[in-house]
Amino acid sequence: MPARSTAQLAWLCIVIVSMAIHSVLLQKPPKRRTVNGNAQSKMTGCCDEMKELKLQVANLSRMLQELSKKQEGDWVNVVMQVMELEGSTKQMESRLIDAESKYSEMNNQIDIMQLQAAQTVTQTSAVDAVYDCSSLHQRNYRISGVYKLPPDEFLGSPDLEVFCDMETDGGGWTIIQRRKVGLTSFNRDWKQYRDGFGNIRGDFWLGNENIYRLSRRPTVLRVELEDWEGNIRYAQYKQFTLSNEINSYRLFVGNYTGNTGRDSLRYHNNTAFSTKDKDNDKCVDDCAQFRKGGYWYNCCTDSNLNGVYYRKGEHTKNMDGITWYGWHGSTYSLKRVEMKIRPEDFKP
């Protein structure tokens, strides 16, 4: 019995301890809930602060964007005003240049008229005569531009408007051909090449009859070339003569100097002038038709200074352009060409 009572007492103690532990365990979850509640409260507060910060950042971004747009608009207005001012300045400069050019040209024309009036009274010998731009240069006309030469009584030619180059290599040059704008076709007939065509201030051919008139004395020819890259070359001939119309304005050139790579006019020496309606070349083909210009065609060309004016981008694709084979070959059409003459005995 005592042993049994002892066992029962032990079991009772175990039950009591178990119940105590169970009650303790039952009390722990509320503590966890309390801790979780505090964390959740802290998390909720943190989220609110983040939302507030995000809202402030968004407001700042919006303000920066508005400020940036305003500054951009202000800069655009400033740039537009500057561009308008620059445009106005360029227009004023252009008008000023035009006015100066017209003023200079008017002065030149007045001087020429005075010269011609004085010449009719004071001319007593051939030394006093005005034949070309070199004669004007000797009379101290040193501004390049348009002048009017008096009639040639020997040939019965009327007065002649010419463009004088008073600057290049001492000046005194009478320009007989110019290509630089490209608006004037040089695919003309015999009569047009004989009499001349174009704009004396732009692209023109002075006329074979006029060139013959100006080259009766020993004459120097200068050919100036410019490519589309801005490079400039020249060919100069100490001997240049053009025969009359009966001899088809036959060309004679010699004594080349220059930097054009090769003398590309020599091939055309002692050849008659040809146009699309008058074939005087030395070839079976009609070179004037084939090269689309009037020129001293041989069979056919080593140069073609009166060919088609091709603009940049199209200037390397054809053989009928403004060519000088010794410099850029047969398919490169040049940007600018000037042919000019003056007497061999000219002294600057």
Side-chain angles (χ1 to χ4, degrees):
M1 289 295 293
R4 187 175 181 182
S5 298
T6 302
Q8 290 177 348
L9 183 60
W11 278 108
L12 181 61
C13 290
I14 291 170
V15 170
I16 293 171
V17 171
S18 298
M19 291 177 65
I21 292 172
H22 180 68
S23 64
V24 171
L25 291 174
L26 290 176
Q27 292 176 0
K28 285 183 179 180
K31 290 183 179 179
R32 280 200 302 269
R33 282 196 297 270
T34 302
V35 173
N36 289 340
N38 292 335
Q40 186 174 1
S41 176
K42 290 180 180 180
M43 288 295 292
T44 301
C46 183
C47 289
D48 292 339
E49 291 178 0
M50 288 295 293
K51 289 180 180 179
E52 184 68 23
L53 286 173
K54 287 182 179 179
L55 183 61
Q56 293 178 4
V57 170
N59 290 334
L60 287 173
S61 297
R62 180 176 54 79
M63 292 173 64
L64 286 173
Q65 288 178 356
E66 292 177 355
L67 182 60
S68 177
K69 288 181 180 179
K70 185 177 183 302
Q71 289 180 342
E72 184 177 350
D74 293 341
W75 274 111
V76 169
N77 291 333
V78 171
V79 170
M80 291 296 293
Q81 292 176 3
V82 171
M83 291 176 65
E84 289 177 0
L85 288 173
E86 289 180 348
S88 300
T89 302
K90 289 181 179 179
Q91 288 181 355
M92 292 295 293
E93 289 177 352
S94 177
R95 291 176 182 174
L96 180 60
I97 292 172
D98 289 342
E100 290 177 347
S101 177
K102 290 179 180 178
Y103 178 75
S104 175
E105 187 173 331
M106 288 174 61
N107 282 338
N108 287 341
Q109 295 300 328
I110 292 172
D111 290 341
I112 289 295
M113 292 172 64
Q114 291 174 345
L115 173 63
Q116 292 171 354
Q119 180 181 329
T120 58
V121 177
T122 62
Q123 181 173 317
T124 58
S125 68
V127 177
D128 297 322
V130 175
Y131 294 106
D132 53 19
C133 294
S134 67
S135 303
L136 294 170
H137 189 279
Q138 296 300 332
R139 295 193 174 206
N140 294 321
Y141 292 90
R142 304 299 170 85
I143 299 175
S144 297
V146 179
Y147 293 82
K148 184 172 287 187
L149 303 179
D152 189 315
E153 295 180 359
F154 179 78
L155 293 177
S157 303
D159 55 13
L160 177 64
E161 192 175 57
V162 295
F163 196 102
C164 296
D165 177 357
M166 299 300 194
E167 302 168 10
T168 302
D169 192 30
W173 298 98
T174 303
I175 298 178
I176 62 174
Q177 182 254 34
R178 184 192 290 126
R179 311 292 304 276
K180 68 174 184 178
V181 181
L183 299 179
T184 301
S185 171
F186 274 60
N187 191 16
R188 305 293 184 109
D189 60 27
W190 181 265
K191 183 179 183 299
Q192 289 172 307
Y193 266 101
R194 181 191 66 195
D195 300 336
F197 57 85
N199 185 338
I200 197 69
R201 294 173 179 81
D203 293 1
F204 70 93
W205 180 258
L206 189 60
N208 287 332
E209 194 64 29
N210 295 321
I211 298 171
Y212 163 67
R213 163 185 170 178
L214 295 170
S215 62
R216 284 176 295 157
R217 294 185 290 169
T219 302
V220 175
L221 168 68
R222 183 182 178 94
V223 180
E224 294 181 353
L225 313 169
E226 182 179 354
D227 64 16
W228 288 96
E229 289 68 45
N231 302 304
I232 298 175
R233 298 288 187 272
Y234 79 95
Q236 192 157 305
Y237 300 86
K238 192 175 181 181
Q239 296 176 351
F240 169 80
T241 303
L242 198 66
S243 64
N244 57 21
E245 186 175 14
I246 296 174
N247 293 298
S248 300
Y249 300 115
R250 187 173 294 271
L251 171 70
F252 297 95
V253 289
N255 290 348
Y256 161 86
T257 58
N259 57 1
T260 58
R262 186 181 77 243
D263 177 6
S264 290
L265 199 55
R266 180 181 179 182
Y267 180 70
H268 302 269
N269 183 46
N270 194 21
T271 58
F273 200 86
S274 294
T275 58
K276 63 182 181 180
D277 61 335
K278 200 172 185 68
D279 183 10
N280 292 320
D281 60 47
K282 301 178 181 180
C283 204
V284 175
D285 296 327
D286 188 340
C287 295
Q289 292 282 355
F290 189 55
R291 293 291 192 260
K292 298 178 183 177
Y295 203 59
W296 300 280
Y297 292 114
N298 192 326
C299 186
C300 279
T301 57
D302 199 33
S303 62
N304 189 31
L305 302 182
N306 289 338
V308 179
Y309 191 98
Y310 288 105
R311 301 194 180 279
K312 189 172 185 180
E314 298 293 326
H315 67 290
T316 60
K317 302 177 181 179
N318 303 279
M319 294 185 66
D320 56 5
I322 305 171
T323 55
W324 188 273
Y325 289 16
W327 186 20
H328 277 300
S330 62
T331 59
Y332 187 105
S333 187
L334 297 167
K335 178 182 179 182
R336 183 181 67 87
V337 175
E338 276 190 3
M339 301 175 69
K340 54 191 75 174
I341 58 176
R342 72 183 180 190
E344 184 182 343
D345 60 358
F346 172 80
K347 294 180 181 179

